[in-house]
Amino acid sequence: MEIRFANAATPKTGALVLPVHDGRTLTETGRAVDAATGGTLARAMAASRFEGRKDQQLMVVAPAGVALTRVLLIGLGKPGDIDAGRLQSLGGQAVAALNAAGEKEATILLDAADAGKLGLAEAAAEAALGARLRAYRFDKYRTTEKPEKKPTLARLTVAATAAAKRAYGPREAVANGVVMARDLVSEPGNVIYPETLAEAAKGLKKDGVAVEVLDEKALKKLGMGTLLGVAQGSVRPPRVVVMQWNGGKRGEAPIAFVGKGVTFDTGGISIKPAGGMEDMKWDMAGSAVVIGLMKALAGRKAAVNAVGVVALVENMPGGSAQRPGDIVHSMSGQTVEVLNTDAEGRLILADACWYCQDRFKPKAMIDLATLTGAIIVSLGDVHAGLFANDDTLAARLADAGKAVGERLWRMPLDDAYDKQIDSDAADVKNIAGSRGGGSIIGAQFIQRFVNKVPWAHLDIAGVTWSKSDTAIVPKGATAFGLRLLDRFVADTYEK
Ligand code: BES
Ligand code: MN
Ligand code: ZN
């Protein structure tokens, strides 16, 4: 689907998407269209349950008096409540409804009154962003899909001022990062494994990101024993990829992002049950989000220094796999007793986080990981878990999450949990003796490897893959965390 911007004018053909406010209130633009159709829009609204409330929609097909194929009315709610999220939803909803209807071409026509607290250009850019995010589809392996099931909308025009196109620029860069991350997460484990995921990250060189790939030999030399222990059961060798975007002041400490990249998690010798194991192809979503985020920051030329470190392994059982009870040496010097090989995310993050803070001395370090099933029990698919050793960092992340609709819920860290991972045989063990508080235990483990840097951990296991469509996220890979962290960077370091 192509998105373009054009000067505000009512289109002659195709579909017209028209916002309506609460109480079936048409804007001046809307009233003009209604008049051209001889009052069809007002009559259609009066004959329906459409009130112009947020997320409501009403399709008026082949209205008389105009050559339009249809007018899609979408509710924006009360003018005082209109914000970026509502305009994104409008764009997303329009794409979904028009594809379902078999429409080929559409124009979103915004009136100044539709912009709410935003300017008209920003409002138009948000609607375009929502449309782009909802239009995402991972269909490269579907060779026999029936034409009537395929999306039809080929061109979407957002009618607004010229400034809208400029306002869309940075948003488009973020959307490009989201699309890349969703693609990587959607790919199966036979296609995306440490080497191929590292290759994909190398593609960011085109965007101006410096990319280094550390191979097994380099990881051994660095002493990343907890990461290598996870990787040793797979025939696919591990990689750590370091990405740097230097858009800030020369020499200024960067903000760092670390991603869990388990390209497939069988559990290893502590093997998972068969049912649902296919989901573990998306156990690399943390790393995909970090890669996509670096692409987004570079794409919009963010005025910050940022570094992304992703730890890429495949967790497999096999003759050379690590055993429960094995003791490994982490890069930090701490020894780790591996009591459950399925608690592997924390093992690879231990070395990746230690390496990241040791080498880059970042201002703050944020890791993303599909770390625990327990966070799904706690928070479901609504919030991701937020753990932090710094209250300001936690608050800023939570605020950014609210602003973009990727919500976080803060969970505790405490010495009383920490002592549960003291090991009798080594410095630390990778699971606790009892089952309670599984997500917190995972976070406590990572915390032992972050040293003194302000750090936050986002457990995204429940929000990374969605089972149903929402306004701007089609079901499947969400890239949750990417828009959030982009916003966090913009609000915290670029203002
Ligand atoms: N990748 C899983 C966590 C996960 C589970 C993500 C389900 C998404 C859906 C992680 O590596 C894992 O296996 N965690 C274990 C930890 C346990 C062994 C302490 C878990 O959550 O069961
Ligand atoms: Mn696991
Ligand atoms: Zn895992």
Side-chain angles (χ1 to χ4, degrees), residues 260 262 265 267 272 279-280 282-283 315 340 342-346 370-374 376 430-431 438 461-462:
K260 169 178 172 180
V262 177
D265 181 14
K272 288 183 181 296
D279 283 352
M280 289 301 106
W282 46 259
D283 209 19
N315 188 22
N340 189 317
D342 197 13
E344 84 296 340
R346 62 200 73 181
T370 46
L371 202 76
T372 64
I376 310 176
N430 77 331
I431 55 167

Side-chain angles (χ1 to χ4, degrees), residues 253-257 307 356-365 453-454:
I255 160 93
F257 304 98
V307 48
C356 179
Q357 59 80 35
D358 186 51
R359 174 169 168 195
F360 294 105
K361 312 285 184 284
K363 279 189 197 155
M365 179 165 78
V453 66

Side-chain angles (χ1 to χ4, degrees), residues 161-230:
T161 57
K165 192 175 175 158
R166 256 175 287 131
Y168 184 56
R171 290 170 176 84
E172 187 179 25
V174 175
N176 290 341
V178 167
V179 165
M180 180 184 191
R182 287 181 184 170
D183 278 345
L184 292 172
V185 172
S186 303
E187 288 284 1
N190 61 327
V191 174
I192 282 291
Y193 44 91
E195 289 160 294
T196 53
L197 189 45
E199 260 330 292
K202 267 195 193 165
L204 297 196
K205 286 182 180 173
K206 284 199 303 290
D207 303 82
V209 176
V211 185
E212 285 164 71
V213 178
L214 308 179
D215 63 9
E216 209 172 357
K217 201 169 137 220
L219 301 177
K220 276 195 184 122
K221 204 162 158 213
L222 286 163
M224 292 202 187
T226 54
L227 186 151
L228 289 163
V230 176

